[in-house]
Amino acid sequence: NDLTAVGMEDVVKIVRTSSATLRVLDVSFNKIGDGISVITDHLQHNNVLTKLNVADCGLSVRGASCLGELLKVNNSIKELGMGVNQIGDEGVLSVCEGLQCNKT
């Protein structure tokens, strides 16, 4: 796929317009890197999305931190795919901290 961090703005538009019905968001295998923050900011108040797949998206520690912050406040996400990203120990810790706060 060819979606990059710049293209995430278009994904945000879709998320905004379908926030009441969007249950699954799969942007896997796109090199969005730290552009994931654009999406996580808009998903913080979404209470419908249950599955987010960001596998093989070129995420770094910063991207994992954004996901951790999202998990602290979004309690509707029940499944998160993050495989094949280079988030390191610090990124894993950020996601785990988010999961500890998550009530799902």
Side-chain angles (χ1 to χ4, degrees):
N1 297 328
D2 294 327
L3 185 64
T4 63
V6 174
M8 290 304 289
E9 291 295 333
D10 292 328
V11 174
V12 166
K13 290 176 188 172
I14 294 168
V15 168
R16 275 193 219 138
T17 59
S18 60
S19 63
T21 58
L22 184 67
R23 297 191 189 289
V24 175
L25 180 59
D26 187 341
V27 292
S28 60
F29 304 103
N30 286 286
K31 299 303 173 197
I32 56 177
D34 292 337
I36 191 66
S37 64
V38 175
I39 285 290
T40 57
D41 289 347
H42 290 282
L43 290 178
Q44 288 188 0
H45 303 290
N46 179 300
N47 60 0
V48 178
L49 188 79
T50 60
K51 181 178 179 181
L52 176 61
N53 190 354
V54 292
D56 198 10
C57 283
L59 299 183
S60 65
V61 173
R62 183 173 182 270
S65 177
C66 292
L67 289 168
E69 292 301 313
L70 171 64
L71 292 172
K72 287 179 183 178
V73 296
N74 181 308
N75 289 310
S76 66
I77 296 175
K78 298 184 184 336
E79 188 175 336
L80 175 63
M82 292 186 56
V84 196
N85 284 295
Q86 303 299 317
I87 63 172
D89 293 343
E90 187 179 339
V92 171
L93 183 60
S94 293
V95 173
C96 288
E97 288 172 354
L99 287 172
Q100 286 179 333
C101 297
N102 193 287
K103 295 174 178 42
T104 42

